[in-house]
Amino acid sequence: MGTRAGGRRTGPKCIAIVGPFASGKTTLLEAILARTGSIPRQNPVSSGNTVSDYSPEARAHAMSVEATVATTEFMGEQITFVDCPGSIEFSFEAEPVLAACDLAVVVAEADEKKIPALQLIMRKLDDLGVPRILFLNKVDKAIAGVRDTLKMLQPASSVPLLLRQIPLRKDGVVIGSIDLALERAYIYREYAESEVAEIPGDDKARELEARFSMLETLADHDDQLMEQLLEEIEPPKDAVFDDLAADLRDGAVTPVLIGTAEKGNGVLRLLKAIRHDAPDIEATRKRLGAPDGAATVAQVMKTIHTPHGGKLSVSRILSGQVVDGSELWLPGGDTAKVSGIYRMLGKDQVKLTIAKAGDTVALGKLDEVKTGQTLSSAKGGTKQLFEFEPPQPVFAFALRPKERKDEVKMSAAIQRLAEEDPSLSLRHNQDSAETVLSGHGEMHLRVVRERLEGKNQIPVEGHAPAVPYRETIRKSAQQRGRHKKQSGGHGQFGDVVIEIKPLPRGAGFQFTDTITGGVVPKTYIQSVETGVRDYLKSGPLGFPVVDVAVNLSDGSYHAVDSSDMAFQMAARLAMKEGMAACSPVLLEPVMKVEIVTPSDATSKIIALIPQRRGQILGYDARPDWPGWDVVEATMPQAEIGDLIIELRSATAGVASYRAVFDHMAELTGRLADEAMNANGKAA
Ligand SMILES: Nc1nc2c(ncn2[C@@H]2O[C@H](COP(=O)(O)OP(=O)(O)OP(=O)(O)O)[C@@H](O)[C@H]2O)c(=O)[nH]1
Ligand SMILES: [Mg+2]
């Protein structure tokens, strides 16, 4: 024992603070910064005055909506914390941060409803191989015993949660903690360092039992400790510390510390655990497969456009160093010049001249650089260390500026926002002439809109994007169309007979002719097809027509007066009259949706599918996701627009879905009338 850990890792650290929504991450960061002296006092999140949630959008919604970076010093060493939002709608912010941090502090609480959210985070950490400490927050209001709480939370974690501290209670109220490795009691003091105390006699038995179970878990990875436990030999304290550190760094266990962030309790012990046990930049380099040499390698965690300072790329320096003014290579082979290096504390920045391996700093004015990219001083750049793939969007709205003059300004602002937030996507829908913004939920897009209106001062209007309805016919008809005009010199003459027939769903459009004897010359047959196609752009119900066959069966022409235009006109006339007799009907797109949900909400989700005119195809356990199900259904696209809002509210924010186009289906009755009305062409 004692040979595994190899002692404390020094050097600047980068710690991500993650966890389910409203678990107290921002409060914890505030407590940490107050304890380390970076801020004079700990402000409650309700004050709207915390280092993290400084943006008007975060304050308005009383939740974090982006990752915030704060560098502080603890016992002479530099630690950068990145407070990540807990809401799944902003979870993309955490991913590039987690990729390049040394350790994640997962802030959780004794709340059963938040277990799936915790599980999502733990899985992300597993995927990225990030070691973690769990900070069990809000012990001030915990009713259940901490060991029961851990049993409850364990299914969210693939590695054992290892209880390192137990609460010290007096008359049922938590007044401090007992550290099982140090075998010491700490009496909490509000916003101040706890007072070290002897373990009260009454608590000794509890302490020994909890300590034994901690040692048992550690012994799973340490044979010598196992022997000592079997022989009832007290293992040396240092060996226990080494095991804790090694198991944490290997990802073999997740140590659990407890506290009350709101009162600054348990914060110092957490800082000490980070100082002693967090892996260093060398380990993080190894995890990322980053080259270790003299060349600079930096991983971009976040992009910010500041009101005055321009663009900032918050980056972890993985190796080498960055000097202000130096050139860095991007993955594509371009270079960018660093203009300004800053140490961050929320919205405040301090200018530096150099950043070294391990540091987390903002690099100024790297115009072409994007979040998630790996930058390097090596000529031609280095390999990209981390692939960031934003999840499929689940919510969209169409957007336009209230004033036309803002159009260019709005698209430039959206470009900047999309650069800060790679999960935002923007497309122009030609069909409906709409600019459609898509993202990860209603709140996500609401915040984007608030940023457009607030930070960018562009008043905008948003509405649900148009559903791409189509129309088709149910019956066949034959129709003659004659276009004849005699006005002065040249006349106009075109005469056609067409047969219109419905085609099976998905067949599209077919044009044929059965002209014999040249009654309509070849070039004019082409004109007829053009005229028909042009008509089909907007049928009798006002929508593009699909699944129709048109055959040109007869007609006549005039040697002088016939023309391309005249035959196009004749064809359009024939279509207009003929289609009306074909019993036109609206078609709506129906999607195949795959909903993922915690199993305990599956029945609720299944119940809401028919309410949205959906059909359940089946449901099953989600492969490799214990405690989750996948529900498959078909559902009209018109019903999916706000589906995510209902899914999230049924599952404490964690359910999601993917949808792909499946087929077009007839739509009649009230809903069809509404669609036509909305299209401005009521039948
Ligand atoms: N009782 C109690 N409440 C706490 C504690 N820490 C935080 N809170 C409260 O929990 C709520 C959420 O706190 P935040 O710090 O904003 O939580 P968060 O995890 O940053 O939230 P998001 O970033 O939006 O996911 C606030 O009302 C806090 O006052 C604690 O230790 N005890
Ligand atoms: Mg927060």
Side-chain angles (χ1 to χ4, degrees):
M1 272 211 309
T3 54
R4 303 174 59 207
R8 194 168 74 76
R9 309 287 205 257
T10 53
K13 303 268 164 53
C14 180
I15 313 293
I17 305 180
V18 291
F21 58 95
S23 59
K25 300 173 289 296
T26 297
T27 307
L28 177 65
L29 176 59
E30 192 75 6
I32 287 171
L33 296 176
R35 184 54 46 83
T36 56
S38 283
I39 54 173
R41 88 189 71 79
Q42 177 180 346
N43 288 309
V45 285
S46 58
S47 70
N49 206 14
T50 53
V51 168
S52 246
D53 291 349
Y54 59 82
S55 74
E57 295 80 27
R59 287 206 300 266
H61 303 297
M63 65 193 285
S64 300
V65 297
E66 64 184 307
T68 310
V69 185
T71 299
T72 185
E73 245 157 55
F74 177 62
M75 297 177 79
E77 274 175 37
Q78 182 183 306
I79 311 178
T80 299
F81 290 93
V82 188
D83 173 19
C84 299
S87 158
I88 194 167
E89 301 199 8
F90 302 98
S91 57
F92 53 84
E93 279 276 299
E95 205 161 326
V97 172
L98 289 170
C101 72
D102 301 317
L103 175 90
V105 171
V106 181
V107 182
E109 60 186 300
D111 185 345
E112 205 173 5
K113 290 200 289 299
K114 294 187 184 175
I115 294 176
L118 180 62
Q119 190 184 5
L120 286 178
I121 291 151
M122 292 304 210
R123 284 189 70 107
K124 185 57 73 192
L125 298 176
D126 286 347
D127 290 349
L128 296 168
V130 181
R132 68 216 74 157
I133 291 177
L134 191 130
F135 184 76
L136 184 62
N137 191 30
K138 308 192 186 179
V139 291
D140 56 328
K141 59 171 208 181
I143 303 159
V146 66
R147 276 181 284 176
D148 287 340
T149 301
L150 280 209
K151 264 195 211 119
M152 178 179 92
L153 299 181
Q154 183 61 62
S157 169
S158 61
V159 290
L161 299 176
L162 179 88
L163 190 60
R164 190 184 152 167
Q165 293 173 332
I166 55 172
L168 196 59
R169 291 176 202 261
K170 194 173 173 190
D171 303 328
V173 177
V174 176
I175 55 152
S177 71
I178 298 172
D179 191 292
L180 303 171
L182 287 161
E183 297 206 88
R184 252 188 241 150
Y186 294 88
I187 311 295
Y188 290 153
R189 290 188 294 185
E190 276 190 25
Y191 310 113
E193 198 172 317
S194 300
E195 200 179 314
V196 182
E198 283 298 309
I199 298 173
D202 291 352
D203 293 297
K204 199 66 199 162
R206 262 177 72 232
E207 186 267 330
L208 284 175
E209 200 191 323
R211 176 176 156 86
F212 188 74
S213 98
M214 176 185 84
L215 294 177
E216 269 184 326
T217 307
L218 291 178
D220 286 342
H221 307 280
D222 182 342
D223 295 340
Q224 206 174 346
L225 178 60
M226 184 63 92
E227 271 170 40
Q228 287 166 334
L229 292 185
L230 290 172
E231 288 165 26
E232 296 185 26
I233 300 169
E234 180 60 32
K237 274 211 173 69
D238 280 351
V240 174
F241 287 129
D242 284 354
D243 270 1
L244 274 167
D247 284 357
L248 161 68
R249 289 174 200 158
D250 296 348
V253 300
T254 299
V256 178
L257 303 182
I258 63 170
T260 298
E262 204 161 49
K263 293 179 189 147
N265 297 146
V267 170
L268 192 62
R269 305 265 28 107
L270 174 66
L271 281 165
K272 288 201 170 164
I274 291 169
R275 178 180 149 87
H276 280 276
D277 301 345
D280 57 2
I281 190 65
E282 197 186 320
T284 302
R285 252 194 319 259
K286 218 182 255 169
R287 171 162 67 77
L288 280 163
D292 173 17
T296 311
V297 178
Q299 182 67 29
V300 183
M301 294 176 149
K302 182 176 165 71
T303 304
I304 312 169
H305 289 278
T306 62
H308 306 297
K311 178 173 165 181
L312 294 177
S313 304
V314 177
S315 309
R316 184 89 199 273
I317 314 302
L318 295 174
S319 58
Q321 61 181 41
V322 180
V323 188
D324 198 2
S326 57
E327 295 267 335
L328 290 175
W329 290 78
L330 278 61
D334 289 335
T335 60
K337 189 169 163 197
V338 176
S339 174
I341 303 175
Y342 306 90
R343 177 179 158 144
M344 309 279 291
L345 187 73
K347 63 178 182 315
D348 298 328
Q349 301 140 26
V350 176
K351 206 163 178 355
L352 308 170
T353 48
I354 188 171
K356 297 210 165 90
D359 285 346
T360 307
V361 290
L363 304 176
K365 303 211 170 62
L366 299 176
D367 283 341
E368 302 300 320
V369 168
K370 294 193 181 79
T371 300
Q373 282 183 335
T374 309
L375 313 176
S376 173
S377 64
K379 198 164 187 303
T382 186
K383 68 174 176 180
Q384 176 66 26
L385 295 174
F386 162 72
E387 293 303 333
F388 175 71
E389 202 186 317
Q392 208 193 36
V394 291
F395 193 77
F397 63 52
L399 203 65
R400 66 160 173 256
K402 278 196 180 134
E403 292 173 51
R404 272 198 82 106
K405 68 172 175 49
D406 283 340
E407 258 165 27
V408 175
K409 206 168 135 194
M410 183 182 92
S411 74
I414 293 179
Q415 288 309 328
R416 278 195 305 274
L417 290 175
E419 216 182 313
E420 290 178 336
D421 173 356
S423 72
L424 201 61
S425 65
L426 185 72
R427 77 193 148 79
H428 188 73
N429 185 343
Q430 220 114 51
D431 236 26
S432 58
E434 289 173 334
T435 298
V436 179
L437 201 60
S438 347
H440 295 299
E442 196 258 342
M443 182 57 84
H444 179 207
L445 291 192
R446 195 188 310 180
V447 165
V448 171
R449 192 173 159 173
E450 286 167 357
R451 285 184 181 138
L452 280 175
E453 300 203 300
K455 191 169 162 182
N456 296 282
Q457 308 237 305
I458 306 167
V460 290
E461 276 169 353
H463 56 89
V467 173
Y469 291 106
R470 297 288 180 263
E471 58 176 275
T472 190
I473 48 171
R474 285 166 162 167
K475 285 193 199 145
S476 303
Q478 197 184 46
Q479 180 68 45
R480 165 156 248 141
R482 263 168 84 92
H483 177 66
K484 189 174 177 194
K485 259 193 187 148
Q486 202 65 53
S487 52
H490 249 314
Q492 293 179 36
F493 182 83
D495 172 31
V496 299
V497 177
I498 54 171
E499 296 158 351
I500 312 171
K501 262 196 330 207
L503 284 178
R505 232 13 36 89
F509 170 64
Q510 282 170 15
F511 181 82
T512 50
D513 75 89
T514 45
I515 295 295
T516 48
V519 289
V520 179
K522 270 238 146 34
T523 53
Y524 296 147
I525 295 177
Q526 189 63 52
S527 312
V528 173
E529 179 170 354
T530 307
V532 169
R533 282 186 186 273
D534 187 56
Y535 172 81
L536 293 176
K537 285 179 190 156
S538 172
L541 307 180
F543 294 93
V545 183
V546 294
D547 303 342
V548 170
V550 173
N551 182 51
L552 172 65
S553 60
D554 201 0
S556 61
Y557 78 106
H558 188 279
V560 179
D561 290 346
S562 281
S563 67
D564 173 43
M565 273 320 289
F567 268 95
Q568 284 195 37
M569 284 298 290
R572 271 197 291 265
L573 267 174
M575 285 301 289
K576 189 160 183 237
E577 281 174 37
M579 285 286 288
C582 288
S583 180
V585 64
L586 205 62
L587 291 177
E588 67 169 342
V590 176
M591 315 292 275
K592 188 157 172 212
V593 279
E594 201 182 271
I595 300 168
V596 291
T597 172
S599 310
D600 56 6
T602 303
S603 57
K604 255 196 273 181
I605 302 288
I606 285 175
L608 66 82
I609 288 170
Q611 289 164 22
R612 291 178 174 264
R613 299 189 289 129
Q615 266 189 340
I616 295 149
L617 301 175
Y619 64 96
D620 211 339
R622 187 178 181 189
D624 291 333
W625 279 77
W628 286 64
D629 286 338
V630 192
V631 180
E632 285 190 342
T634 52
M635 191 177 280
Q637 186 179 339
E639 302 285 341
I640 295 179
D642 59 357
L643 173 68
I644 194 67
I645 299 175
E646 213 169 354
L647 293 182
R648 296 251 157 98
S649 83
T651 57
V654 294
S656 203
Y657 77 87
R658 297 166 67 84
V660 287
F661 173 77
D662 196 64
H663 64 277
M664 298 298 284
E666 285 188 9
L667 180 67
T668 54
R670 184 178 56 82
L671 291 172
D673 292 343
E674 277 173 20
M676 288 184 278
N677 272 323
N679 198 38
K681 295 202 180 164

